[in-house]
Amino acid sequence: MAAASISKTLSKGARGLKNHWIPTPLFPHLYSSSAPVSASASASVSSSSSVSSLTEPQSSGGEQRRGWTKWLLFVPGAVTFGLGSWQILRRQDKINMLDYRRKRLDLEPIPGSNLYSLNENLDSLEFRRVKAKGFFDEKKSIYVGPRSRSISGVTENGYYLITPLMPIPDDPDSMQSPILVNRGWVPRSWRDKFLEDLPVDEQSKNIASPSIQESERSSWWRFWSKKPKTVEDQVPAVTPVEVVGVVRGSEKPSIFVPENDLCSRQWFYVDVPAISRASGLAENTIYIDDINENVNPSNPYPVPKEVSTLIHSSVMPQDHLNYTLTWYSLSAAVTFMAFKRITPKKSRR
């Protein structure tokens, strides 16, 4: 009985405490964190949704850019194909140019006496053969070079010898006006000797006069001569030559060829107006390449140009055809590699 009464009393006290006492938590912030946690969770969910919404258009833009870059792989193939087609056009132009030269060289030679009387433009006379008679003015020669020449497999440096061909006085068959003649290739020693003799020639030229009055030089001459004797200069004897050549124009030097130096007599390329002025001739003087094949074995120099060199180019039509095949092959290889690059690979099961 006593134990039952004690248990009843304790149960009543517990129910009273339950109705009147509310326990205060020791760490209230831990129990109140349920609301902020739910807010952060909602914020993370919203941010993830916004990020996903932003990445979707970016991924689509990246796919578009990748689509454009795939087509750029075909650009090298298109460029090389265009270069191959351009070589075909160049080949046809070269064929037409060489045919034009052959037809001009097959025409009858123009007499030198009628060369300047023609009404044709000097440029239209290029690659026409000319047959002229005159004499060479050796003192006004010009050496253009250096130019190499292969002799029996050995390469030797030399120069082109350009000399004015002057009219022969009182000769009806002679040309009426001077022309410049590229007489051909000569060794370097020719130019060295010409420069050594040049001061002597200039000095004799300055001393020379139309008439020379000889004065008394010694006592015995004064004794036998009563008055001075006048001696007129005789016209120097000239050696007539007949030249068969082809009308040409000035050379077009590359960017690696230096400019001509007139003061030091350095001529690196043929400039017809400049050479004409240096020789004391008119700027519109005709310039021809000697193609005379009748070379004296006892005097092998100068070596005239061969006719085959006039219808030859540094890049012949066959070379253009080789370039065309090269560019087309490269275009096919690059295009094939680009096609293999953009083609998706099949997965093996």
Side-chain angles (χ1 to χ4, degrees), residues 134-154:
F135 70 95
F136 286 121
D137 191 354
E138 302 285 353
K139 297 179 181 179
K140 296 181 179 180
S141 295
I142 299 291
Y143 291 83
V144 179
R147 302 296 172 91
S148 60
R149 180 174 180 265
S150 179
I151 303 175
S152 300
V154 179

Side-chain angles (χ1 to χ4, degrees), residues 215-232:
S215 58
E216 300 167 343
R217 294 185 178 89
S218 58
S219 58
W220 66 270
W221 180 261
R222 288 195 301 269
F223 178 79
W224 290 104
S225 179
K226 296 182 179 179
K227 56 183 179 179
K229 181 179 180 182
T230 302
V231 179
E232 295 183 355

